[in-house]
Amino acid sequence: MKVDFNKFSDGLAPVIIQDAVDQQVLMLGYMNEEALKKTLTESRVTFYSRSKKRLWTKGETSGNYLELDSIKVDCDDDAILIKAKPTGPVCHKGTQTCFGNKTSLGFLYQLEETIAKRIDDDDPNSYTNTLYKKGINKVAQKVGEEAVELVIEAKDDNAELFKNEAADLLYHFLILLKAKDFKLQEIEAILKERDSKK
């Protein structure tokens, strides 16, 4: 990975910050070579602040850091894409992103991570973890039960019950994916491939 900082008169390359979990764009900042090196060394995103005229680690005063997940450079070597995990609101105005609060589009990925955390932390008070520990047969059985309940509700006209059963099925499907050691992204990739062939 090489960024051509010499393309810019001020030596600052634009940096797009994207949530590593739900893929939503969080903010735009700027880095010089020193800021990039510090980010790579500390695994926390550091920018060059044009207003403060110095290196600025996001969260250094608020505690709302951006924990580094991955870095890519665009095809012209003059723009940086960083995927990070925010530890709190990203915007100084208190919103989740500098473009307002997040949409629900990426929520399933956040939910997938929450499910994984409850299981990986072996939380004894978690329904999710308790079901997971019962083994693949119980998890699969629960997905089947929820699917049947959704089908039953689909035949009736109660929209709220139908939506709740759909949510239950989706939640338990995510637990099943974890139990099978697959990611939602892998299923999404198959659907995208199928869509391209239609």
Side-chain angles (χ1 to χ4, degrees):
M1 180 189 72
K2 181 163 175 55
V3 181
D4 189 356
F5 291 102
N6 294 323
K7 282 189 176 181
F8 309 97
S9 59
D10 57 6
L12 300 177
V15 184
I16 299 163
I17 305 294
Q18 187 177 20
D19 192 301
V21 176
D22 64 25
Q23 310 303 308
Q24 296 199 41
V25 174
L26 301 175
M27 66 174 290
L28 171 72
Y30 295 88
M31 281 185 177
N32 59 10
E33 199 164 356
E34 192 181 355
L36 179 58
K37 283 179 185 173
K38 188 171 188 214
T39 296
L40 291 168
T41 301
E42 298 181 357
S43 292
R44 278 187 174 162
V45 179
T46 293
F47 299 101
Y48 182 85
S49 170
R50 296 176 299 167
S51 58
K52 297 172 184 172
K53 307 283 189 218
R54 65 171 177 84
L55 293 187
W56 165 65
T57 299
K58 176 75 180 86
E60 65 185 27
T61 54
S62 67
N64 298 329
Y65 296 103
L66 292 170
E67 304 292 350
L68 179 65
D69 185 75
S70 66
I71 298 182
K72 288 184 179 178
V73 179
D74 78 342
C75 57
D76 294 321
D77 299 326
D78 60 4
I80 303 167
L81 174 65
I82 291 183
K83 292 190 178 182
K85 293 182 179 177
T87 60
V90 173
C91 185
H92 68 283
K93 293 185 175 179
T95 53
Q96 295 168 320
T97 84
C98 290
F99 306 98
N101 283 318
K102 293 181 181 181
T103 67
S104 60
L105 296 177
F107 174 73
L108 286 180
Y109 289 96
Q110 286 180 294
L111 182 58
E112 180 181 44
E113 189 162 273
T114 299
I115 287 169
K117 183 168 176 24
R118 288 180 182 156
I119 291 168
D120 295 342
D121 290 351
D122 198 18
D123 182 352
N125 299 315
S126 165
Y127 162 79
T128 303
N129 186 47
T130 302
L131 175 61
Y132 176 83
K133 288 178 84 171
K134 289 179 180 176
I136 191 69
N137 289 343
K138 285 292 184 186
V139 175
Q141 179 184 340
K142 188 64 179 168
V143 171
E145 289 172 9
E146 296 299 342
V148 169
E149 289 173 14
L150 180 62
V151 169
I152 291 169
E153 289 305 330
K155 293 171 167 266
D156 293 331
D157 292 325
N158 189 320
E160 285 306 308
L161 286 177
F162 175 79
K163 289 188 286 186
N164 275 284
E165 292 301 341
D168 288 346
L169 175 59
L170 197 48
Y171 189 82
H172 288 90
F173 170 68
L174 290 174
I175 299 173
L176 181 61
L177 282 182
K178 171 68 175 171
K180 295 292 292 179
D181 200 27
F182 294 127
K183 293 280 191 184
L184 183 59
Q185 199 169 20
E186 295 173 77
I187 310 306
E188 187 179 75
I190 292 169
L191 292 171
K192 283 181 180 176
E193 186 181 352
R194 288 179 184 175
D195 185 57
S196 68
K197 294 177 181 176
K198 287 182 181 177

